[in-house]
Amino acid sequence: TGAISSLQRQMEIQESELRKIRSEKELLQKQLREREVQLQAVSDRFCRLTEEQRQEEAVVMMEEENQNLQEVVTKQEFQLAEQNKLISELQGTISQLQAEVVTTRLHLLEQKQAQKETQSQFEALQHTELQTRVALELISSKFERYRNKIIQATFSVEGSQDPQGELTDDEVLEAMQKLFNERTEFQQMLKNKSSR
C-alpha cells in the first residue's frame, strides 16, 4: 500500500509538471501569435505612409522586425522542441509508474490470497490438533481404566497384599508375572499329584 501511494504521488508530480509545461507551451504559442499581430500592425502602418517613406522605412523596419521575429521564432521553436521532448519523457514516466502501480496491486492481491490460504491451512491444523488431543485423552482414559482393572485383578487374588501407594508399570508387570508363575507352579503340582 505504501508503494502504491508513493507511485501515485510520483504520478501526480509528473502530471503536474506535464500540465505546467503544456501551459508554458500555450503561452509561447500565444506570444508567437502576438508577434504575428504586431507584424500585421506594422504592415498596416506601412500602407498609410507615402510611397517613398514607406519604402525606406519598410526596408529598415522589416529587416529589424524580420531579425527580431526570426530570433523569437527560433527561440520559441527550440523551447517548443525541448518541451515536446520533456512532455514525451514525462508521458513515458507516467506510463511506467502506472504499470508499476498495476504490478504492485497484483502483488498485493497475490499476497492476500497466499495469506488467506495460509490462514485456512492454520485453521485446519488447529482443528486437526484439537481432534488429536480429544482422541489422545480418550485413549489415555481407556488405558487408565484398563490399567486399573489389571491392578484390581492382580491384587484381588487370595493371599496377595494390597499395593502400597501408586504403582509403576514395571511393578504391575512384576506382580502379574509373579501371579502367573505361582499359578503355573500350582498347576504343575496338581499334575504331579494326579500322576502319582
Side-chain angles (χ1 to χ4, degrees):
T1 303
I4 289 176
S5 299
S6 176
L7 289 172
Q8 286 176 336
R9 281 197 298 274
Q10 290 182 29
M11 281 176 57
E12 290 170 2
I13 292 169
Q14 297 289 342
E15 287 173 351
S16 174
E17 290 183 8
L18 186 58
R19 287 193 296 272
K20 180 180 176 183
I21 289 170
R22 283 178 175 162
S23 175
E24 290 176 358
K25 179 181 176 181
E26 290 173 3
L27 180 61
L28 287 172
Q29 288 173 335
K30 181 180 177 183
Q31 290 175 353
L32 188 57
R33 288 193 295 272
E34 288 174 355
R35 288 289 184 175
E36 290 173 352
V37 170
Q38 290 174 2
L39 183 59
Q40 186 62 43
V42 170
S43 296
D44 293 342
R45 192 172 54 156
F46 288 157
C47 292
R48 292 192 294 270
L49 296 173
T50 63
E51 189 65 31
E52 187 177 345
Q53 289 173 329
R54 193 181 302 160
Q55 289 178 357
E56 290 176 359
E57 192 171 343
V59 171
V60 176
M61 291 188 67
M62 287 294 284
E63 287 177 355
E64 291 178 357
E65 194 64 27
N66 279 339
Q67 185 177 358
N68 290 338
L69 285 174
Q70 189 65 38
E71 290 175 359
V72 170
V73 168
T74 302
K75 181 179 178 182
Q76 290 183 347
E77 284 177 347
F78 177 76
Q79 289 178 341
L80 284 174
E82 288 293 317
Q83 288 179 352
N84 285 332
K85 180 182 176 183
L86 186 54
I87 286 170
S88 178
E89 290 175 355
L90 288 173
Q91 286 175 335
T93 303
I94 288 171
S95 298
Q96 183 181 352
L97 289 173
Q98 287 173 336
E100 289 179 8
V101 167
V102 171
T103 303
T104 304
R105 283 180 177 163
L106 284 174
H107 286 164
L108 282 175
L109 287 174
E110 290 173 358
Q111 287 176 354
K112 284 182 180 178
Q113 185 63 30
Q115 187 177 2
K116 284 182 181 178
E117 291 176 0
T118 303
Q119 182 66 27
S120 176
Q121 291 174 357
F122 177 71
E123 290 172 358
L125 286 173
Q126 281 185 322
H127 182 67
T128 304
E129 181 188 8
L130 180 61
Q131 288 180 325
T132 305
R133 284 184 179 179
V134 169
L136 181 61
E137 288 176 3
L138 183 62
I139 291 170
S140 297
S141 176
K142 285 182 179 180
F143 174 76
E144 192 61 32
R145 287 198 302 271
Y146 181 67
R147 185 176 184 274
N148 289 336
K149 284 181 181 179
I150 291 174
I151 292 172
Q152 186 178 1
T154 302
F155 290 95
S156 64
V157 176
E158 187 177 346
S160 63
Q161 296 179 351
D162 291 335
Q164 301 295 321
E166 188 74 18
L167 291 174
T168 64
D169 291 341
D170 288 339
E171 289 173 339
V172 173
L173 185 62
E174 185 180 344
M176 288 178 64
Q177 187 67 44
K178 182 179 178 183
L179 179 62
F180 178 76
N181 291 339
E182 287 175 352
R183 287 194 176 184
T184 302
E185 288 176 4
F186 182 71
Q187 287 176 353
Q188 188 64 38
M189 285 173 58
L190 286 177
K191 282 181 183 178
N192 293 338
K193 272 190 177 183
S194 52
S195 64
R196 283 201 298 268

